[in-house]
């Protein structure tokens, strides 16, 4: 008896008013003599029209009804709060408007070409509940037989006929109102790119003759009441460029005429040519919508303006040819030209080093008065090892100090500094995005007390550009780095015992070039499934090796070509990353997603580096808060290698490789406002291309690779306030790269941002 009472309470039925029935939902069925094309999709579409939605139910229980009941008669207090946040009033049969729903379904059937469809409904009741079932009988779907574009000899009709080849309406396709709507939008955009600035999709009419048996003829018409200005093309006359516009602007500066533009000078920030390069609206040219949109996008992508607005108005001046004219104002509101930012951090690394760090960043948004972005970063940090690595607990293994100082600069020029080539137009006139030439240089000093110090000098030069919002490409023609390495006697003994480590930790040049391609659908926020792909190829030392071989001659197996007495690395490196984001809910604002990531990296040392490994800065490490979260950074691999004895102390330098394979899958769930949860599984490892006797099992062997994957799983909590994410992930190891983990103790990761 008590159990029945409890079940009755959990089901929410006790909260139904006397004489009423709880509405539990509806079933939509399609009845047709023959199975319809896309019948399941049509049935789902009709089901979305059902109103109201029943109360949330899980395994026959309705917890939201329980919370709602707590707040009945409460104006404040805990019960009122719980009811307001988690409660839901009962949805009753009396609230169901079956006729309205049937009418909506019939209308939707007509929109899909079922002109003689009908829908009936039936109420099915039980003791305390009721559901309303709908049965749709679509009948025959009408097919488009003929399509007739406007036939008059007018400018507007000729322009519409000129778009016929790209029409979305095809003879033989079923009638679909959405396709007709999209066709009007398509034609409107096509006309706006032919000068018809004042045209509107509502001025276009489709007359559909449905008197034929199962077929329709479609006639394109321009409405008779369309205004005259919408039926003629417009040319641009005067274009004004104001680079320092504010809402209260009462511009008193006198404009100058520059390349036919009416330009309001602000020469302390911009040269006129820097702006006109990004403007694709030309005086005395036909108005084209795509050029207006391209100008907006290009100016905003310069990174120097907070807002850009383009206004058009009929020109007061006439035209000798009788053409209609528009004047345009391009209004640009500047960001602050110079900014200085300082960030103080407390760094805590998985290898036991903890300490403060300071980053100072200076930005000039028009360094050479051409919208060039100059970014200078200064970095300083000092860290002390507060605990020894696991398995090497002794007083001598703590108290080590690591210092880092760095200065780097980047100059981003908003154009491609390149000659006109048959296969490359450096202006990329059909792209909405500003191409860039990138220059970079930097120096970085790292000193690990008692071990080594290294000073790295770098310089690079290349290009980056986008052809679509989802696509980006980058070429680094020159990416030079020189590492000056100095080690202590203690670390010399480690390097002497480990030849592979010695090759990585040596003074050497890296003379690289690279290409990177990125395809990212995450910018398409409404897509339910989003793909991210990035591929990168890098080669180093080939030109230097060819020159050295030609000038110096051949070398023995133990000799290396050098530059200024220092060897240079020669290798090829390839990286692929693929991610998929799938939103569980059709609601675009939902954070409930399944996310997967696959990373593959291959580095092949050859030539001047034959028989060895990649330079240390180019090698792969695995583990940590953005990788295999059940293990510390560089605690995995290579291969089945497991540091023992004194090797544990130096494992942070040892556990790197030339190959990487990593996969992650994660389910993300909205919990509360600004709080999300996650469940994840990580797997991966790294390997060596060439065998290293000091790291047994580290070389890649295809038949053993899957058996050597480290695997971890865990749960996460994320505080996501949109512009900032704090992430807590707790993970436990399921399998180590060498087999059963020595410890199943979990690891708590604290990080900023999502792992991928």
């Amino acid at each position: 008896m008590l159990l029945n009472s409890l079940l009755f309470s959990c089901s929410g039925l006790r909260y139904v008013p006397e004489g009423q029935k709880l509405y539990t939902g509806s079933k939509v069925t399609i009845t047709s003599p023959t199975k319809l094309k896309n019948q399941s999709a049509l049935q789902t579409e009709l089901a979305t029209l059902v109103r109201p939605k029943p109360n949330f139910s899980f395994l026959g229980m309705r917890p939201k009804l329980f919370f709602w009941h707590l707040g009945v008669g409460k104006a404040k207090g805990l019960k009122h709060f719980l009811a307001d946040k988690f409660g839901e009033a009962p949805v009753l049969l009396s609230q169901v408007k079956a006729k309205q729903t049937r009418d909506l379904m019939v209308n939707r059937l007509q929109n899909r070409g079922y002109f003689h469809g009908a829908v009936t409904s039936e109420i099915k009741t039980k003791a305390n509940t009721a559901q309303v079932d709908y049965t749709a009988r679509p009948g025959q779907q009408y097919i488009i037989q003929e399509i007739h574009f406007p036939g008059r000899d007018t400018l507007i009709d000729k322009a519409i006929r000129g778009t016929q080849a790209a029409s979305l309406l095809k003879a033989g396709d079923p009638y679909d109102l959405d396709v007709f709507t999209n066709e009007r939008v398509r034609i409107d955009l096509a006309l706006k790119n032919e000068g018809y600035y004042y045209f509107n999709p509502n001025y276009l009419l489709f007359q559909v003759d449905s008197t034929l048996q199962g077929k329709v003829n479609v006639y394109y018409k321009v409405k008779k009441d369309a205004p005259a200005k919408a039926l003629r093309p417009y040319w641009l006359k005067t274009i004004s460029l104001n680079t320092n516009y504010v809402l209260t602007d009462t511009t008193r500066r006198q404009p100058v005429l520059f390349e036919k533009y009416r330009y309001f000078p602000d020469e302390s920030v911009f040269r006129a040519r820097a702006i006109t390069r990004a403007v694709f609206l030309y005086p005395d040219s036909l108005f084209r919508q795509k050029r207006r949109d391209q100008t907006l996008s290009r100016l905003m992508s310069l990174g120097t303006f907070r807002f850009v607005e383009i206004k058009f108005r009929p020109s007061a001046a006439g035209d000798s040819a009788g053409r209609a004219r528009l004047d345009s104002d391009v209004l640009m509101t500047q960001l602050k030209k110079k900014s200085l930012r300082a960030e103080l951090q407390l760094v805590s690394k998985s290898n036991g080093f903890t300490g403060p760090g300071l980053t100072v960043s200076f930005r000039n948004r028009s360094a050479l008065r051409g919208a060039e972005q100059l970014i200078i970063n200064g970095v300083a940090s000092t860290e002390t090892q507060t605990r020894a690595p696991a398995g090497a607990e002794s007083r001598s293994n703590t108290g080590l100090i690591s210092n880092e100082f760095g200065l780097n600069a980047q100059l981003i020029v908003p154009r491609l500094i390149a000659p006109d080539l048959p296969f490359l137009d450096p202006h990329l006139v059909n792209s909405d995005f500003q191409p860039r030439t990138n220059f970079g240089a930097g120096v970085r000093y790292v000193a690990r007390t008692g071990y080594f110090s290294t000073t790295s000098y770098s310089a690079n030069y290349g290009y980056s550009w986008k052809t679509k919002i989802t696509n980006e490409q980058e070429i680094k023609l020159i990416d030079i780095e020189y590492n000056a390495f100095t080690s202590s006697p203690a670390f010399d003994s480690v390097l002497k015992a480990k030849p592979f480590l010695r090759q990585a930790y040596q003074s050497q040049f890296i003379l690289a070039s690279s290409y990177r391609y990125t395809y990212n659908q995450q910018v398409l926020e409404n897509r339910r499934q989003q793909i991210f792909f990035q591929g990168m190829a890098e080669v180093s030392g080939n030109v230097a090796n060819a020159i050295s071989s030609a000038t110096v001659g051949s070398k023995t197996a133990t000799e290396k070509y050098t530059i200024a007495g220092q060897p240079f690395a020669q290798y090829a490196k390839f990286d692929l990353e693929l991610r998929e984001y799938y939103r569980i809910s059709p609601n675009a604002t939902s954070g409930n997603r399944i996310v997967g990531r696959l990373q593959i990296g291959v580095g092949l040392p050859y030539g001047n580096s034959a028989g060895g490994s990649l330079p240390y800065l180019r090698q792969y490490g695995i583990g940590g808060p953005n990788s295999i979260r059940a293990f510390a950074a560089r605690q995995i691999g290579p291969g089945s290698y497991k540091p023992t004895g004194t090797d544990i102390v130096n494992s942070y330098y040892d556990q790197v490789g030339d190959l990487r394979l990593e996969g992650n899958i994660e389910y993300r769930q909205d919990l509360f406002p600004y709080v999300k949860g996650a469940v994840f599984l990580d797997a991966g490892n790294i390997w060596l291309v060439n065998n290293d006797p000091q790291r047994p099992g580290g070389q890649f062997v295809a038949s053993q690779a899957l058996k050597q994957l480290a695997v971890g799983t865990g749960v996460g909590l994320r505080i996501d306030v949109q512009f900032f994410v704090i992430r807590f992930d707790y993970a436990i190891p399921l399998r180590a790269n060498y087999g059963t983990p020595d410890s199943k103790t979990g690891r708590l990761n604290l990080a900023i941002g999502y792992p991928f």
Side-chain angles (χ1 to χ4, degrees), residues 361-364 373-377 408-412:
S361 180
F362 169 79
R363 181 187 294 266
N364 187 327
Q373 299 262 347
L374 175 64
I375 305 169
I376 301 176
N377 294 312
N408 64 79
Q410 186 178 20
L411 181 66
I412 304 173

Side-chain angles (χ1 to χ4, degrees), residues 122-171:
E122 179 185 3
I123 300 175
K124 294 183 178 180
T125 62
K126 294 183 179 179
N128 300 96
T129 63
Q131 73 176 53
V132 181
D133 292 345
Y134 297 90
T135 302
R137 295 174 176 82
Q140 183 181 11
Q141 187 179 28
Y142 277 63
I143 304 299
I144 297 175
Q145 177 177 260
E146 296 177 359
I147 301 171
H148 300 273
F149 274 73
R152 297 179 303 170
D153 191 26
T154 62
L155 286 176
I156 189 67
D157 282 8
K158 287 180 179 178
I160 293 175
R161 285 199 301 274
T163 73
Q164 185 171 354
S167 175
L168 302 179
L169 301 181
K170 307 292 182 184

